[in-house]
C-alpha cells in the first residue's frame, strides 16, 4: 500500500508541474509581441505536449484507484506572476522570454529526475516517466538553442 501511495504522490506532483508548464507556455504564447510571433507554434506545441503528459499521468493515477490532481504548483503560479511583472517593466524581449521559458524547463527536468529516483515506482510507471523525460529534455535543448541563437545576434 505504501508503494501505491508514493507512486500516486509522485504522479500527482508531475501532473501539477506539467499543468504549470502548459499554462506557462500558453501565457508566453499569448503575450508574444509581433516580432516574436514565430515562437507561437513552438510554445503551443510544448503546451500541448504537457497536456498529453498530464493525460497519460492521470491514467496511471487512475489505475492506482486514486483521483488525479488537477491543479498547479504554488511555484508555477508565482513564476507566471513574475513573468507578468517582468513584462510590465519592458522585459518582453525575445531573450527574456526564452530565458524564462528555459528556467521553467529546468524546473520540470529536475522534477522528472527527482521522480525517477524513487525506488518504489513500478516498471510501467518508470517507462512512462522516462519517455516523457526524453521529450522534456529535447524541448529544453530546443528552447536553450533558440535563446542562445538570439543571444549571439
Amino acid at each position: 500500500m505504501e508503494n501505491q501511495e508514493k507512486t500516486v504522490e509522485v504522479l500527482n506532483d508531475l501532473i501539477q508541474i506539467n499543468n504549470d508548464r502548459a499554462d506557462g507556455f500558453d501565457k508566453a504564447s499569448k503575450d508574444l509581441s509581433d516580432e516574436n510571433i514565430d515562437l507561437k507554434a513552438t510554445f503551443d506545441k510544448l503546451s500541448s505536449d504537457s497536456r498529453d503528459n498530464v493525460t497519460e499521468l492521470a491514467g496511471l493515477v487512475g489505475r492506482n484507484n486514486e483521483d488525479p490532481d488537477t491543479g498547479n504548483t504554488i511555484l508555477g503560479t508565482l513564476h507566471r506572476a513574475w513573468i507578468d511583472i517582468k513584462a510590465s517593466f519592458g522585459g518582453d524581449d525575445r531573450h527574456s522570454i526564452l530565458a524564462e521559458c528555459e528556467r521553467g524547463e529546468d524546473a520540470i527536468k529536475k522534477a522528472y529526475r527527482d521522480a525517477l529516483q524513487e525506488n518504489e515506482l513500478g516498471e510501467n510507471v518508470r517507462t512512462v516517466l522516462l519517455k516523457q523525460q526524453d521529450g522534456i529534455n529535447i524541448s529544453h535543448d530546443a528552447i536553450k538553442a533558440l535563446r542562445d541563437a538570439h543571444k549571439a545576434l
Side-chain angles (χ1 to χ4, degrees):
M1 186 63 99
E2 203 171 301
N3 288 352
Q4 179 183 346
E5 288 174 15
K6 186 60 178 176
T7 296
V8 169
E9 179 185 328
V10 166
L11 293 171
N12 276 327
D13 287 348
L14 292 175
I15 287 171
Q16 286 183 347
I17 199 162
N18 270 285
N19 283 337
D20 288 342
R21 183 178 186 242
D23 291 350
F25 280 118
D26 286 345
K27 175 158 190 30
S29 180
K30 185 180 118 238
D31 292 347
L32 287 173
S33 59
D34 289 344
E35 69 247 17
N36 294 310
I37 202 71
D38 61 306
L39 297 175
K40 185 173 178 39
T42 299
F43 291 171
D44 289 348
K45 180 186 181 321
L46 295 176
S47 175
S48 177
D49 290 349
S50 266
R51 298 220 189 277
D52 291 344
N53 288 348
V54 166
T55 299
E56 194 169 25
L57 295 168
L60 293 172
V61 171
R63 284 188 213 128
N64 283 287
N65 299 316
E66 296 289 336
D67 292 327
D69 201 327
T70 58
N72 296 79
T73 66
I74 293 169
L75 289 176
T77 303
L78 292 172
H79 179 71
R80 284 186 301 283
W82 171 244
I83 291 172
D84 283 342
I85 291 167
K86 198 171 188 178
S88 70
F89 288 104
D92 64 346
D93 65 276
R94 186 178 188 91
H95 184 267
S96 292
I97 292 167
L98 291 168
E100 285 303 312
C101 289
E102 184 186 5
R103 206 167 72 114
E105 292 296 273
D106 288 340
I108 198 166
K109 280 178 62 174
K110 181 183 182 319
Y112 272 83
R113 271 193 316 271
D114 292 350
L116 285 162
Q117 288 179 357
E118 291 296 332
N119 295 326
E120 296 142 8
L121 300 177
E123 197 55 40
N124 61 330
V125 170
R126 189 170 297 285
T127 299
V128 169
L129 297 187
L130 286 168
K131 177 186 66 88
Q132 290 183 0
Q133 182 185 44
D134 285 345
I136 287 166
N137 289 339
I138 290 167
S139 299
H140 171 274
D141 293 347
I143 292 291
K144 185 176 185 222
L146 286 167
R147 187 209 61 200
D148 290 348
H150 176 48
K151 191 176 182 180
L153 294 177

